[in-house]
Amino acid sequence: MRSSLFHHTEPEGEPGSFVLANGKMLKVDLAGSGGFFYAKQGSMVAYQGDVDFAYEGSGGMSKFLKKAFTGEGMSLMKVSGSGDVFLAQDADEVFVLYLESESVTVSGSSILAFESTLSWDINRVEGASMMTGGLFNTTFTGTGALAVTAYGTPVVLNVDEPTFVDMQSAVLWSTSLTSSVRKTAKLGAAIGRGSGEAYQLGLTGNGFVVVQASEGHPLPAKQ
């Protein structure tokens, strides 16, 4: 049988590694990395081998309470066993970050999977309040791989001067940056792409921020 379809074969990867099967799908080889990792619940699209998926909730009672209060965080599943697992999220673009005794802040909706060697917690953006929609995000720390998604090809901005990003467009940013919330001077000024015009995430210091080319997936039309 011949077809250009067969050009899209799975890539080879080292045991325990996170590799891109393609631009919109992650492949994880469960050999290595302690034989398990964490992924967004419902993100599995295929697997080969003897793999177990266990509901992990929000990662502990303290994080469950934070998630319940803030709306941030994600429902996780613990993926363990032996074999290869393929993950995706709504055909979003997938990117893998390799942290080396580092930390990064990520929007909860952008987290696809991460190695168990990383520790994480939910934190509030400085200056955010219930009036601004909270703006709580997840900080990862340590050494290991972290896979994130973006709805619309992102751009990485170097923050060497005050930078302001629509809250729904910010995928992740350096923890070295000082964050704040800025309110648009004129409430009626439609300066953003959607519902997030009134408030922006402000970042200062030295670091980077990843901005996706959208404010996230559009809400389904009401019937």
Side-chain angles (χ1 to χ4, degrees):
M1 185 180 296
R2 291 183 297 160
S3 171
S4 59
L5 177 64
F6 295 109
H7 296 165
H8 301 281
T9 56
E10 62 176 294
E12 294 295 328
E14 296 295 324
S17 64
F18 281 34
V19 297
L20 294 181
N22 57 49
K24 298 184 178 181
M25 190 180 298
L26 177 72
K27 174 187 175 183
V28 182
D29 180 352
L30 273 163
S33 297
F36 72 95
F37 68 95
Y38 295 102
K40 179 178 291 186
Q41 188 178 20
S43 61
M44 185 276 293
V45 294
Y47 68 90
Q48 295 178 305
D50 183 13
V51 182
D52 179 70
F53 300 88
Y55 177 63
E56 196 68 18
S58 301
M61 181 55 68
S62 63
K63 289 171 185 158
F64 173 80
L65 293 174
K66 284 185 180 182
K67 179 184 177 183
F69 179 73
T70 65
E72 177 61 14
M74 58 281 173
S75 294
L76 296 174
M77 56 185 181
K78 181 179 179 181
V79 185
S80 59
S82 61
D84 297 327
V85 182
F86 298 85
L87 306 169
Q89 183 66 39
D90 299 325
D92 289 349
E93 296 186 46
V94 179
F95 302 89
V96 180
L97 290 78
Y98 301 96
L99 276 63
E100 298 176 335
S101 298
E102 299 167 300
S103 60
V104 67
T105 297
V106 188
S107 169
S109 61
S110 298
I111 299 164
L112 180 63
F114 57 93
E115 288 189 284
S116 60
T117 53
L118 295 175
S119 59
W120 61 279
D121 199 5
I122 299 171
N123 298 291
R124 180 175 66 88
V125 172
E126 195 68 29
S129 66
M130 297 304 293
M131 291 296 292
T132 65
L135 195 54
F136 291 79
N137 290 278
T138 305
T139 299
F140 289 89
T141 304
T143 298
L146 166 66
V148 299
T149 59
Y151 180 55
T153 303
V155 63
V156 179
L157 301 179
N158 289 322
V159 179
D160 51 10
E161 61 181 326
T163 301
F164 301 91
V165 182
D166 185 281
M167 290 184 179
Q168 285 74 42
S169 299
V171 175
L172 61 92
W173 62 89
S174 304
T175 53
S176 59
L177 296 173
T178 299
S179 59
S180 62
V181 175
R182 180 177 183 177
K183 184 178 183 297
T184 301
K186 295 181 179 180
L187 188 60
I191 65 172
R193 296 271 313 160
S195 60
E197 303 96 355
Y199 299 94
Q200 297 89 45
L201 170 67
L203 298 168
T204 57
N206 288 288
F208 67 90
V209 57
V210 177
V211 184
Q212 66 183 7
S214 75
E215 289 192 329
H217 291 271
L219 297 174
K222 294 183 179 180
Q223 298 295 325

